[in-house]
Amino acid sequence: MQHVLAMIIGFVLDLLIGDPHSMPHPVRWIGTLIAALEKPLRGAFPKTPSGERLAGVVLVVVVAGVSFGCAVLVLWLCGLVNWWFALAVESVLCYWMLATKSLRDESMAVARELERGDLPAARRAVSMIVGRDTDRLDETGVAKAAVETVAENASDGVIAPLFYMAIGGAPLSVLYKAVNTMDSMVGYKNDRYRYFGTAAAKTDDVLNFVPARLAGILMCVAAPLVGMDGRGAWRIFRRDRLAHSSPNSAHTEAACAGALGVQLAGGSYYFGAFVEKPTIGDANRAVECADIARANRLLYATAVLGLLVCLLLCSGIWLGGVGGGSAW
């Protein structure tokens, strides 16, 4: 039951504290490891599509293995001290894996600049949380980018880490974040990463398959609980959840778009080039600054529902272990 308590404590700590930028963070360490391994791995394999793909496979195995192994080792060593110390450390690890408050803080920083009427500052603020070019965005485009970030990251920043905590405690959640970080760093379909990043992108797709769909469903359930359009959320979720080229990215965006009654996604500029993408939702009205706060209310309700579902999952695993004679 240690990892169940750690998940609950970590969830509460995330809501209270968020991600202080001055603190050390395992995800930053994972990012440093990925950056350090890229050059030697590229040099160790042939500069061919198959060689780069193989180098990418090695990157995934090494980074995921080191991340998971370090988490297991740290908790084992803490357990040698005593159970309470191990619980405290695992709780902090769980807290580090979640990003509910950080998503709210970063996106609301965008909203504050829009409310002040400072578009250049709003563009700078949103550039910290999106991958697209922001220098051409108008007020609507900035608000839409912030809402999309909150919606999409409800899955890989909150529900997916909780899901893997429920299955395998903090170590499995750390493994998930390692893969997700690799995808965010090398999983691009551009000249540099088209082949090298394939393994990271595909592994991330596999690990997010269930959490993304769970997050979309939970967001639809959460919508009426916070005064939003539950029927619209379900309708757009069913219609547009597979609209994105990624098998997982559009589920929460579709639910959020339906709940808010707006249209998200569509084409954007990336690295100076316009990339055409399908739209998600119906353009009943333009996205506005206030939608950022609404998206965050939906995020928080989805996160709480996610914790409850993951606690039920833990209970099922525990009861199954007891019924099968397993010492959990």
Side-chain angles (χ1 to χ4, degrees):
M1 293 296 291
Q2 174 182 306
H3 79 273
V4 179
L5 291 174
M7 179 173 67
I8 297 171
I9 295 169
F11 184 85
V12 173
L13 287 174
D14 175 56
L15 294 187
L16 293 175
I17 303 172
D19 180 18
H21 295 288
S22 59
M23 287 179 62
H25 201 294
V27 174
R28 298 189 190 105
W29 300 338
I30 291 168
T32 300
L33 177 62
I34 295 166
L37 287 174
E38 180 178 348
K39 185 175 181 180
L41 283 177
R42 284 182 179 276
F45 291 88
K47 289 181 171 47
T48 62
S50 59
E52 291 195 3
R53 286 194 187 98
L54 184 56
V57 170
V58 175
L59 177 72
V60 171
V61 171
V62 172
V63 173
V66 168
S67 301
F68 180 77
C70 286
V72 170
L73 178 61
V74 166
L75 292 178
W76 177 75
L77 291 173
C78 292
L80 296 179
V81 178
N82 61 56
W83 184 85
W84 291 103
F85 185 53
L87 173 63
V89 172
E90 185 167 9
S91 298
V92 172
L93 276 176
C94 290
Y95 150 61
W96 271 333
M97 295 302 106
L98 296 168
T100 312
K101 187 175 187 296
S102 296
L103 276 171
R104 179 187 180 279
D105 290 347
E106 297 289 347
S107 59
M108 289 308 295
V110 179
R112 285 192 294 273
E113 299 299 347
L114 287 175
E115 288 167 354
R116 279 196 282 262
D118 193 338
L119 180 57
R123 287 170 173 165
R124 288 193 297 273
V126 81
S127 72
M128 303 299 292
I129 56 174
V130 301
R132 73 194 68 178
D133 297 346
T134 61
D135 56 341
R136 307 172 192 236
L137 297 178
D138 58 11
E139 289 86 350
T140 299
V142 169
K144 187 173 81 165
V147 169
E148 289 170 5
T149 296
V150 171
E152 184 175 350
N153 284 283
S155 177
D156 58 12
V158 182
I159 301 302
L162 282 173
F163 178 78
Y164 286 107
M165 283 175 208
I167 295 174
L172 197 58
S173 185
V174 170
L175 184 149
Y176 166 77
K177 291 301 289 186
V179 172
N180 190 242
T181 303
M182 278 186 280
D183 179 57
S184 69
M185 291 179 65
V186 304
Y188 296 100
K189 294 181 179 179
N190 55 25
D191 292 340
R192 179 174 179 178
Y193 292 118
R194 185 174 303 277
Y195 305 112
F196 183 75
T198 298
K202 296 299 183 184
T203 306
D204 187 71
D205 286 346
V206 171
L207 292 183
N208 276 303
F209 188 86
V210 172
R213 286 150 182 79
L214 174 61
I217 292 170
L218 291 174
M219 191 168 280
C220 290
V221 174
L225 300 179
V226 290
M228 297 182 194
D229 187 354
R231 289 186 178 181
W234 283 110
R235 182 175 63 85
I236 300 302
F237 173 71
R238 290 194 298 267
R239 190 190 76 188
D240 292 348
R241 65 191 179 90
L242 297 177
H244 201 282
S245 58
S246 164
N248 302 317
S249 294
H251 295 271
T252 46
E253 281 191 67
C256 184
L260 294 174
V262 299
Q263 188 173 82
L264 301 176
S268 297
Y269 282 90
Y270 293 86
F271 306 107
F274 186 78
V275 178
E276 192 64 60
K277 293 183 179 181
T279 56
I280 296 173
D282 296 329
N284 299 320
R285 60 177 180 83
V287 180
E288 59 186 12
C289 178
D291 287 319
I292 301 175
R294 296 181 185 119
N296 278 296
R297 289 203 304 275
L298 190 58
L299 166 68
Y300 269 60
T302 302
V304 171
L305 290 177
L307 177 65
L308 295 177
V309 168
C310 287
L311 288 174
L312 289 174
L313 177 59
C314 289
S315 299
I317 294 172
W318 185 82
L319 290 173
V322 171
S326 171
W328 179 256

